[in-house]
Amino acid sequence: MPTPPVSDLKSNFPPVVDARTRVLILGSLPGEMSLAHQQYYAHPQNRFWHLVGEVIGEPLPSLPYAARLDVLRTHGVGLWDVVAQARREGSLDSNIRVHAGSDLAGLIDTLPALRAVAFNGGTAARIGQRALAQGGVTMPVVLLPSSSPAYTIPYATKRDAWLVLRDWLGTTASA
């Protein structure tokens, strides 16, 4: 029986950051729907926009994508992924194969206001923490439960964990 074809290399998106970025949220690699739409966290069941919206006190899911990114930057939140390129069938992190990491240390060097790096899920944390250590980056790290629907803990539990980002952003948005 022939080996099934390996999918083409999948690549991350450019970072969403600016000089005001205080917290950099790092995912693993965009999923199929995100790649198709060329948008971070495009899958409607992914709770990222709901969670970070609660952190900053903004109704992010109701905004157009470009406005979401503008609001994140305004609130000091940056986005990127720890994997620059990889082979992966489907969208599950467990299917990531032969990956090249993003230059996290290089990006962090360009962010003068950065206070903490947050990892959205276990795969992002594993790959990202290794990259930070190899790059000599000593920065506070926040480990967040994945916003992915594949990580099936209750939304309220995810929300409570994500709200700690307020400490690093210096916000006190109401719960």
Side-chain angles (χ1 to χ4, degrees), residues 2-109:
T3 305
V6 178
S7 65
D8 294 335
L9 279 177
K10 296 175 181 174
S11 299
N12 70 3
F13 303 135
V16 175
V17 295
D18 64 19
R20 301 169 291 180
T21 301
R22 293 187 304 276
V23 171
L24 177 61
I25 301 174
L26 297 167
S28 56
L29 181 69
E32 294 294 323
M33 190 165 289
S34 292
L35 291 168
H37 288 86
Q38 288 295 292
Q39 296 180 2
Y40 280 100
Y41 303 102
H43 194 290
Q45 297 305 311
N46 191 299
R47 307 314 284 170
F48 176 83
W49 295 110
H50 296 270
L51 291 162
V52 78
E54 291 202 50
V55 169
I56 63 175
E58 296 279 355
L60 293 177
S62 66
L63 299 175
Y65 181 70
R68 292 178 193 181
L69 299 182
D70 289 341
V71 170
L72 287 184
R73 284 188 288 263
T74 298
H75 284 275
V77 176
L79 291 180
W80 205 24
D81 288 306
V82 298
V83 174
Q85 285 189 322
R87 293 197 186 283
R88 180 184 63 204
E89 291 294 333
S91 296
L92 293 177
D93 284 354
S94 60
N95 291 337
I96 293 174
R97 303 286 182 262
V98 191
H99 75 274
S102 299
D103 182 8
L104 301 182
L107 178 65
I108 287 168
D109 283 345

